[in-house]
Amino acid sequence: MQELRQTLGISFKDLELGVFQKMQETFCEVICQVLAELDEAIFENREKGRYEVKDIRSGCVATLMGDVRYRRRYYLDKEKGKYVCLLDEALGIEVGRVSPGLALAAAMQAVLGPSYRAAKESLKRLYGHQVVSHEAIRQLILRLGELIDKEEEEKREKAQGTKKVPVLFVEADGYWCSMQRERKKSRETKMVVSHEGWRARAPGSNEYELLNKTHYLDLDSKDFWEEASRHLCSRYDIDENVMVVINGDRASWIRAGVDYFPKAIYQVDRFHVKRDLRRLLCETGELGVCLGAFDRNDIDALLRGLAGARRKMEGNIDDLARLAAIDDLAGSIKKMPEAYIDYRVRLKGLGYDTNEMRGMGSAESNVDKFSNRLKKRGQSWGVAGLKAMTCSLIKYFEGKLDRYSQHVSRVHELLDSTKITKKASAV
């Protein structure tokens, strides 16, 4: 076998990379030939009285398979009095820019990877050469974020959603990100995940996914729910016939959401409550009592269990913090007991069919998807960068990132490291 390997003188890795690189070269050559033929066809079929050939000019577009360099005719448009490359106009080519395919690949790597540099290296390993710089990827995400934010802001301004649903589910949570060059070292990003219910991932499956899930994140609005409610109203026709169910932890900003809809109820996230009970009542005989009462939606029994646990811990100086936390939880339950009852019980009492409804609590898992890219790897952000990456992540998780990346493949000047160095020096 060793002799055979020496005779061949090549490994499969060498073969794979060699063939791939040859395909890259062939791709660029074929694209150039096709562009030349199309340019010739345009020359023959143009309005000859309107378009006069003035020059032959070179162009370059960065693609997934390498830079495509080609030549095409440069015309004077006598009617409008301006110069134009008809080939570029006809095909929608933005010369010197990143192709939509490469823009999408770079955006995907940026939102999934730990950093822009890692995204650059990942593309370099895949294609065998540096296809785009980390600064180009960063600028791509910034432009992507601007485009998404502008479109979403226009939708919120109109707030003319037409879709009707009997119940709209809204789950809220927040997370903190480290900031750089900011007065505050960290900033909270507030998020809502809205959906219309649940459906099986596959026929007969026991796993479920959220139906028509959307995200809204905000890190600089003075009134979060003002903007979040407009986000929902830009998609749905929310009137007094639509029940909005808001689920979240005991944060006051989450509870405030019920005031922004004609008909809404708030539920304290049941996962968080059970977690708090286990943390506060561990090693007490009241833990099982309280968990059972909570599962049965028996608020009186839950309060009695908390009071019993508190009496057992009184007098122990080591339990002062736990005692204060128990008092806080009990006070919250007394203040809004209905929020600690499963929303399905409450909706059923109002005449809703709850057979297809499941327990809520997806906000935290969705927060983890965002925080994994934004905070769990030691990142720190500027406001613009954080906002842009957040917008990009939203469209990625909604499966819409490709549509936006096609519109922001315009980073030619950033591919030139000399220009980047000059700009940095000027700054």
Side-chain angles (χ1 to χ4, degrees):
M1 183 57 67
Q2 187 65 29
E3 294 177 357
L4 286 174
R5 288 173 178 165
Q6 292 177 351
T7 301
L8 292 175
I10 190 173
S11 67
F12 186 79
K13 177 183 176 181
D14 298 329
L15 178 63
E16 181 182 23
L17 292 175
V19 171
F20 182 73
Q21 290 170 2
K22 187 62 180 177
M23 289 175 64
Q24 288 178 301
E25 295 174 6
T26 303
F27 170 86
C28 294
E29 291 173 1
V30 170
I31 287 291
C32 286
Q33 293 174 8
V34 172
L35 290 175
E37 292 176 7
L38 292 175
D39 189 57
E40 186 66 29
I42 289 174
F43 172 72
E44 295 295 335
N45 292 281
R46 78 191 192 283
E47 294 180 41
K48 294 181 175 60
R50 176 178 176 179
Y51 296 103
E52 179 184 349
V53 178
K54 287 296 184 181
D55 198 1
I56 302 292
R57 296 199 171 186
S58 299
C60 178
V61 177
T63 75
L64 285 169
M65 301 298 280
D67 290 346
V68 174
R69 303 181 185 279
Y70 64 104
R71 294 171 63 80
R72 77 279 196 229
R73 292 173 175 85
Y74 189 60
Y75 298 88
L76 170 63
D77 183 346
K78 296 179 180 179
E79 185 177 298
K80 295 185 177 181
K82 67 176 185 178
Y83 293 91
V84 62
C85 291
L86 292 180
L87 177 66
D88 298 347
E89 292 284 331
L91 297 181
I93 297 175
E94 301 209 38
V95 180
R97 310 294 173 84
V98 174
S99 71
L102 179 53
L104 175 59
M108 287 291 189
Q109 291 294 332
V111 299
L112 294 175
S115 67
Y116 297 125
R117 291 182 185 275
K120 177 199 72 173
E121 292 301 322
S122 179
L123 289 170
K124 182 178 179 180
R125 288 194 299 271
L126 180 61
Y127 293 102
H129 62 93
Q130 180 172 314
V131 294
V132 65
S133 70
H134 75 275
E135 176 62 16
I137 296 175
R138 190 180 77 86
Q139 291 294 329
L140 179 71
I141 293 297
L142 288 174
R143 296 187 184 193
L144 193 64
E146 290 175 3
L147 176 65
I148 295 170
D149 187 53
K150 182 179 179 181
E151 182 181 286
E152 291 297 322
E153 186 176 349
E154 290 175 353
K155 290 180 180 179
R156 292 196 298 272
E157 284 298 319
K158 296 177 181 178
Q160 297 175 348
T162 58
K163 191 171 186 179
K164 297 286 290 187
V165 292
V167 180
L168 182 63
F169 300 93
V170 179
E171 310 209 23
D173 205 346
Y175 56 91
W176 291 82
C177 292
S178 297
M179 306 300 293
Q180 54 180 288
R181 296 186 296 276
E182 292 287 320
R183 183 173 60 85
K184 293 183 178 180
K185 297 299 182 181
S186 61
R187 178 176 291 212
E188 184 180 20
T189 298
K190 298 174 181 177
M191 181 181 80
V192 295
V193 180
S194 66
H195 59 93
E196 298 167 19
W198 298 260
R199 64 183 172 194
R201 291 187 182 276
S205 173
N206 291 325
E207 294 185 354
Y208 291 82
E209 62 184 2
L210 302 182
L211 182 61
N212 295 326
K213 178 174 66 173
T214 68
H215 304 78
Y216 175 74
L217 288 90
D218 197 316
L219 57 128
D220 54 15
S221 175
K222 293 181 179 179
D223 191 334
F224 172 80
W225 280 107
E226 177 68 28
E227 295 299 319
S229 62
R230 295 185 70 84
H231 161 79
L232 295 173
C233 289
S234 71
R235 288 159 171 77
Y236 297 96
D237 181 5
I238 302 177
D239 57 20
E240 63 278 358
N241 296 316
V242 178
M243 173 62 77
V244 178
V245 180
I246 300 176
N247 181 79
D249 60 26
R250 292 186 283 142
S252 59
W253 71 265
I254 297 178
R255 300 197 303 270
V258 296
D259 297 329
Y260 289 79
F261 304 98
K263 186 164 65 172
I265 62 173
Y266 163 67
Q267 172 186 264
V268 178
D269 185 77
R270 298 181 72 77
F271 169 80
H272 282 90
V273 176
K274 289 186 175 183
R275 184 185 64 184
D276 290 344
L277 290 174
R278 292 188 179 97
R279 175 174 58 86
L280 298 174
L281 307 183
C282 61
E283 302 174 358
T284 72
E286 306 299 328
L287 176 58
V289 173
C290 289
L291 288 175
F294 185 61
D295 286 334
R296 297 192 309 273
N297 300 292
D298 188 341
I299 301 302
D300 291 335
L302 175 58
L303 288 172
R304 288 195 298 270
L306 288 172
R310 192 189 192 290
R311 285 194 296 270
K312 291 179 180 179
M313 287 187 279
E314 284 179 351
N316 189 341
I317 193 171
D318 294 330
D319 289 331
L320 292 180
R322 289 171 65 186
L323 285 171
I326 290 174
D327 290 341
D328 180 61
L329 177 58
S332 175
I333 296 173
K334 293 174 182 178
K335 183 178 180 180
M336 46 181 184
E338 71 286 347
Y340 288 83
I341 298 175
D342 192 308
Y343 80 95
R344 289 167 290 189
V345 174
R346 299 162 68 186
L347 290 188
K348 191 172 183 179
L350 294 173
Y352 287 85
D353 181 5
T354 61
N355 289 328
E356 300 298 323
M357 296 180 184
R358 302 180 61 81
M360 297 178 69
S362 66
E364 188 157 353
S365 63
N366 280 276
V367 161
D368 286 343
K369 292 179 182 178
F370 286 86
S371 61
N372 187 50
R373 175 63 179 92
L374 299 174
K375 61 176 290 187
K376 291 187 176 179
R377 300 170 184 175
Q379 301 96 325
S380 59
W381 301 86
V383 174
L386 177 58
K387 195 169 187 177
M389 181 57 74
T390 297
C391 289
S392 301
L393 284 166
I394 287 174
K395 294 307 172 185
Y396 169 73
F397 290 125
E398 292 180 357
K400 301 176 183 177
L401 187 61
D402 54 342
R403 179 168 72 86
Y404 290 91
S405 64
Q406 294 177 11
H407 299 288
V408 292
S409 53
R410 305 172 181 179
V411 289
H412 167 59
E413 63 206 21
L414 297 167
L415 301 178
D416 189 331
S417 60
T418 303
K419 289 183 180 179
I420 293 175
T421 301
K422 288 181 178 179
K423 288 182 180 180
S425 299
V427 171

